[in-house]
Amino acid sequence: MAAYMITSTLRRVLLVAKHASFQSRCCVASSRVQYSTVYDSNEKTFDKILIANRGEIACRVMKTCKKMGIKTVAVHSDVDASAVHVKMADEAVCVGPAPTNKSYLNMDAIMDAIRKTGSQAVHPGYGFLSENKEFAKRLVSYPVMIKASAGGGGKGMRIAWNDDETREGFRLSSQEAASSFGDDRLLIEKFVDNPRHIEIQVLADKHGNALWLNERECSIQRRNQKVVEEAPSTFLDPETRRAMGEQAVQLAKAVQYSSAGTVEFLVDSNKNFYFLEMNTRLQVEHPITECITGLDLVQQMIRVAKGFPLLHKQEDIPINGWAIESRVYAEDPYKSFGLPSIGRLSQYQEPIHLPKVRVDSGIQEGSDISIYYDPMISKLVTYGATRAEALQRMEAALDNYVIRGVTHNIPLLREIITHPRFISGDITTNFLPEEYPEGFKGHQLTSEGRRELVATAAALYVSAQLRSQRFLGNLRVSTTPQEQRQWELCVELEKGSHTVAVSRSGSTFTVEVDGVTVEVSGEWNLASALLPVTINRTPRVLQCLSRDAGGDITLQYLGTQFKVRVLSQLVSTLSAHMPEKVPEDTSSILRSPMPGSVVAVSVKPGDVVAEGQEICVIEAMKMQNSLIAAKAAKVKSVHCKAGETVGEGDLLVQLE
């Protein structure tokens, strides 16, 4: 009899070498062999199995499941509602009327029963669906996760939802794995949709001692790489935390592990947790564990390596306060939540002047971000007595973080930590694609936010105008009777135009925007990278990224950069007569979306390509990106070849 096993855990993995084939697998046992079995109650297999059969074989399977401590689910037709196998089971589900093709052979109904009951495995018995290849395929089915066996950091990882995506993912992931880790072997495992990613920090010595240092919530991810982490998790209760910690310690002891390590789990909505992998190293996000426990993990690793025993016992490990880490990257968050950006840090100021802020970085002003290495700029960590306090400090730290010369992901980070769903703790690994299905678009201005930004831009423009009229504190033109104190302006923002009236009293500007009064005050130090202001009694920190004599100003407001144009009423009237620039037709050209190296070019001049067909592959920071045709057309010219380095915006291929 065959047993088709499905499981929502990621413990059953298939190690796939290059050119390996994909196949369904089943466990076969012979009922003709006499044997004696010892049932180990401590041996963990499945919590619940559905028996997709009836009669004596269903009863036979249930007897063994009962001895093994496994709950059973029976399926039955309406006429079998009182059958013996239905009474033996812990649960029963009717899958249709008497005809077998409408009940015991009804795959859709049986699959629905599996989902509704939360069954982790299916035993088909014999007959019915026991040798049905299609049924087996639906139980060992997509989606699957393809990942580098030697990997980390999201490199060499892809989700495949069908055969074509599996072949494509296998090709790209194996190439990334070889490039990043010198090992192209891959793991193919069942993909658990919509889980949380929660990990346990462990610490073990060479004397048989091991501790778990609480958990880290790492569910906010893009391309399977963590973006924002926090400790502890809002989701875990003390019992689940203890169970996860104890199992993580058991694993460390079982392999005689000594050092700091991390056991990663996927956790479903019912707080069931499934082993993912163990990272036998220091994790990127280790600082948040240090914040809430008071332990220096690097120090502990060095002590353990020297042979010293651990100084602490499990009851000594606290959860003091809350810590949040944002990974600051040189990436463009508007392109697939973050494609790499390169360049030199022309200006760089970390917000370490703020309380309870930690910045772990290896760069400084003038450092180069290249295509050859990971684009991380720093790990920004904030700590507070409560989660709300830690989040408020993170918001302030992101607003005060000055990064010039490269595109960065601060706009995305700030939107995440201020998102109502994140604040409530209602997150999964699908947070980003669920909340931004069309991609990240930056902060979306409310009516109040728009007025705040327009008013601040107008006040900044007037302040700059007043400064230009003075030299060494005196008016440049001595015949001017007095300074101007009122201005009529037009402010253009996001394709909208606002009539603005500005009046000034000292360092405070009263700005009327579309009939609503906004009061803005500040020091208006135009030489500073930061622009701290108070808007209607609410303190804010903006950044003026650029400003020219024509009234074009770029402001970073609530994390996002906004281009604003401030004009006098006369200039605004005249600019309406200027011709508009015709936008470039981008459907016929393929430009590189990021700096990187060309791995492969799949077309040549004269080739006819279909919409969505791969044109070339660009590698940046060890991540390979397949670029496709935007329309069906003939290739007119190719401007790149494998091995070449290209910059962002470089022309790669032109179509007719």
Side-chain angles (χ1 to χ4, degrees):
M1 49 188 169
Y4 299 121
M5 299 302 185
I6 64 168
T7 175
S8 59
T9 73
L10 297 185
R11 288 175 285 189
R12 279 151 169 69
V13 297
L14 172 62
L15 183 60
V16 181
K18 205 168 185 179
H19 308 305
S21 62
F22 305 105
Q23 57 185 4
S24 300
R25 294 174 294 165
C26 63
C27 303
V28 180
S30 174
S31 61
R32 294 174 294 186
V33 178
Q34 300 297 320
Y35 55 88
S36 175
T37 303
V38 177
Y39 299 98
D40 184 355
S41 60
N42 293 319
E43 186 177 70
K44 188 69 173 176
T45 54
F46 299 101
D47 296 319
K48 185 186 294 186
I49 292 178
L50 182 143
I51 292 85
N53 217 301
R54 65 178 301 280
E56 70 83 15
I57 186 57
C59 296
R60 162 69 185 87
V61 174
M62 289 179 190
K63 289 177 182 177
T64 293
C65 288
K66 186 175 182 179
K67 292 176 181 177
M68 296 179 69
I70 301 172
K71 292 182 179 181
T72 57
V73 178
V75 294
H76 64 88
S77 65
D78 53 7
V79 298
D80 268 349
S82 299
V84 174
H85 79 282
V86 175
K87 296 178 180 178
M88 284 184 64
D90 296 289
E91 299 177 58
V93 179
C94 181
V95 289
T100 57
N101 66 326
K102 295 183 179 180
S103 53
Y104 295 104
L105 293 176
N106 186 342
M107 282 188 269
D108 289 337
I110 292 174
M111 293 299 296
D112 188 55
I114 293 168
R115 286 188 287 269
K116 286 181 177 178
T117 60
S119 298
Q120 296 173 312
V122 173
H123 199 303
Y126 52 69
F128 291 138
L129 296 172
S130 63
E131 297 178 87
N132 188 299
K133 184 170 68 173
E134 178 61 26
F135 187 52
K137 183 178 180 181
R138 292 182 68 169
L139 296 172
V140 192
S141 64
Y142 293 107
V144 296
M145 173 69 80
I146 304 169
K147 60 189 293 188
S149 64
K155 295 181 176 65
M157 295 180 69
R158 280 172 174 78
I159 300 168
W161 295 84
N162 52 51
D163 289 350
D164 290 339
E165 290 185 6
T166 299
R167 295 186 186 95
E168 179 74 358
F170 185 88
R171 176 175 68 89
L172 294 175
S173 292
S174 60
Q175 291 173 357
E176 281 182 9
S179 175
S180 299
F181 313 111
D183 185 345
D184 66 357
R185 292 179 300 167
L186 302 176
L187 295 172
I188 308 294
E189 58 192 29
K190 182 66 179 175
F191 174 67
V192 180
D193 197 19
N194 227 33
R196 285 176 178 258
H197 184 136
I198 300 177
E199 61 191 29
I200 299 292
Q201 177 72 58
V202 296
L203 183 62
D205 63 22
K206 299 177 181 179
H207 303 275
N209 304 307
L211 305 171
W212 49 275
L213 309 182
N214 302 308
E215 79 279 4
R216 294 187 289 259
E217 171 71 74
C218 307
S219 297
I220 303 298
Q221 303 179 5
R222 56 99 177 89
R223 297 196 302 275
N224 305 301
Q225 188 175 39
K226 302 161 190 173
V227 179
V228 176
E229 302 101 340
E230 60 181 308
S233 169
T234 61
F235 188 63
L236 295 190
D237 52 56
E239 292 75 21
T240 307
R241 176 178 295 114
R242 184 182 306 108
M244 293 175 69
E246 289 175 351
Q247 290 193 28
V249 164
Q250 288 174 13
L251 173 59
K253 287 184 174 181
V255 297
Q256 297 181 333
Y257 183 72
S258 62
S259 191
T262 297
V263 181
E264 299 192 348
F265 296 93
L266 295 182
V267 184
D268 67 19
S269 59
N270 294 317
K271 293 187 173 67
N272 299 309
F273 55 91
Y274 309 104
F275 172 71
L276 181 58
E277 64 184 7
M278 181 175 183
N279 289 321
T280 55
R281 55 172 168 80
L282 192 66
Q283 292 279 89
V284 172
E285 58 275 17
H286 75 274
I288 55 178
T289 295
E290 295 181 326
C291 286
I292 66 167
T293 62
L295 296 180
D296 184 326
L297 291 182
V298 174
Q299 179 195 30
Q300 298 300 319
M301 295 175 76
I302 294 172
R303 291 187 72 260
V304 167
K306 183 61 178 176
F308 291 113
L310 298 180
L311 295 174
H312 304 84
K313 297 184 182 299
Q314 189 61 57
E315 55 268 25
D316 299 330
I317 305 303
I319 298 181
N320 287 331
W322 215 283
I324 298 172
E325 175 180 287
S326 293
R327 299 193 186 190
V328 181
Y329 282 98
E331 292 181 337
D332 186 345
Y334 302 97
K335 297 178 179 178
S336 301
F337 298 110
L339 292 183
S341 171
I342 64 171
R344 177 165 293 175
L345 292 170
S346 57
Q347 192 172 9
Y348 183 74
Q349 296 176 21
E350 296 174 346
I352 53 177
H353 61 284
L354 300 176
K356 305 294 184 181
V357 172
R358 168 177 170 177
V359 182
D360 286 11
S361 65
I363 50 90
Q364 60 186 0
E365 192 169 295
S367 293
D368 288 318
I369 306 295
S370 76
I371 65 172
Y372 301 107
Y373 305 108
D374 188 88
M376 179 183 284
I377 294 174
S378 73
K379 297 179 301 188
L380 178 62
V381 181
T382 57
Y383 173 78
T386 64
R387 185 172 186 261
E389 191 175 85
L391 282 172
Q392 289 171 358
R393 286 175 172 158
M394 179 60 72
E395 188 176 337
L398 290 169
D399 285 342
N400 282 269
Y401 207 146
V402 177
I403 303 173
R404 306 280 194 274
V406 296
T407 304
H408 53 77
N409 68 333
I410 283 180
L412 176 62
L413 295 173
R414 199 184 190 285
E415 284 299 295
I416 290 172
I417 63 142
T418 57
H419 196 287
R421 184 175 158 191
F422 180 83
I423 293 172
S424 70
D426 178 23
I427 58 174
T428 70
T429 55
N430 283 337
F431 176 87
L432 289 179
E434 286 174 355
E435 293 303 319
Y436 308 103
E438 303 300 321
F440 180 66
K441 307 297 184 183
H443 180 74
Q444 302 302 299
L445 291 169
T446 62
S447 298
E448 181 182 6
R450 177 178 293 273
R451 287 193 295 269
E452 285 190 4
L453 184 56
V454 167
T456 304
L460 181 65
Y461 172 84
V462 170
S463 181
Q465 292 293 309
L466 292 174
R467 182 185 181 189
S468 67
Q469 296 172 9
R470 291 181 171 273
F471 179 72
L472 297 178
N474 299 313
L475 288 172
R476 291 178 181 271
V477 183
S478 59
T479 57
T480 303
Q482 62 181 10
E483 285 187 333
Q484 183 178 352
R485 294 190 178 274
Q486 292 187 334
W487 295 261
E488 297 291 330
L489 303 173
C490 179
V491 180
E492 298 174 2
L493 170 64
E494 292 185 333
K495 299 181 179 179
S497 182
H498 303 267
T499 300
V500 174
V502 182
S503 61
R504 169 179 171 261
S505 175
S507 61
T508 299
F509 292 88
T510 300
V511 186
E512 186 176 290
V513 182
D514 299 332
V516 179
T517 300
V518 180
E519 189 174 272
V520 188
S521 61
E523 295 181 2
W524 307 107
N525 182 358
L526 302 182
S528 173
L530 299 175
L531 185 64
V533 295
T534 299
I535 306 175
N536 289 340
R537 299 184 180 180
T538 300
R540 301 244 187 241
V541 176
L542 286 75
Q543 296 186 32
C544 182
L545 306 180
S546 65
R547 178 177 56 84
D548 63 26
D552 288 327
I553 304 172
T554 302
L555 291 174
Q556 182 172 304
Y557 170 72
L558 302 180
T560 295
Q561 297 180 15
F562 292 93
K563 294 184 181 298
V564 185
R565 172 170 286 184
V566 184
L567 305 173
S568 67
Q569 289 290 354
L570 175 60
V571 173
S572 176
T573 301
L574 295 176
S575 65
H577 301 286
M578 297 293 290
E580 292 187 9
K581 182 180 179 181
V582 179
E584 181 183 36
D585 178 14
T586 58
S587 64
S588 298
I589 57 174
L590 180 66
R591 296 186 182 276
S592 179
M594 74 208 83
S597 59
V598 181
V599 175
V601 179
S602 306
V603 299
K604 61 182 183 299
D607 287 352
V608 177
V609 296
E611 182 180 353
Q613 180 178 332
E614 181 177 283
I615 299 294
C616 61
V617 177
I618 302 294
E619 181 180 282
M621 278 76 171
K622 305 299 182 182
M623 300 286 285
Q624 295 197 358
N625 303 272
S626 177
L627 305 184
I628 61 175
K631 65 178 182 180
K634 181 182 288 188
V635 177
K636 181 179 181 180
S637 58
V638 177
H639 300 269
C640 64
K641 59 183 178 181
E644 286 186 343
T645 299
V646 295
E648 180 179 357
D650 284 0
L651 179 62
L652 303 176
V653 175
Q654 188 170 7
L655 305 177
E656 291 185 354

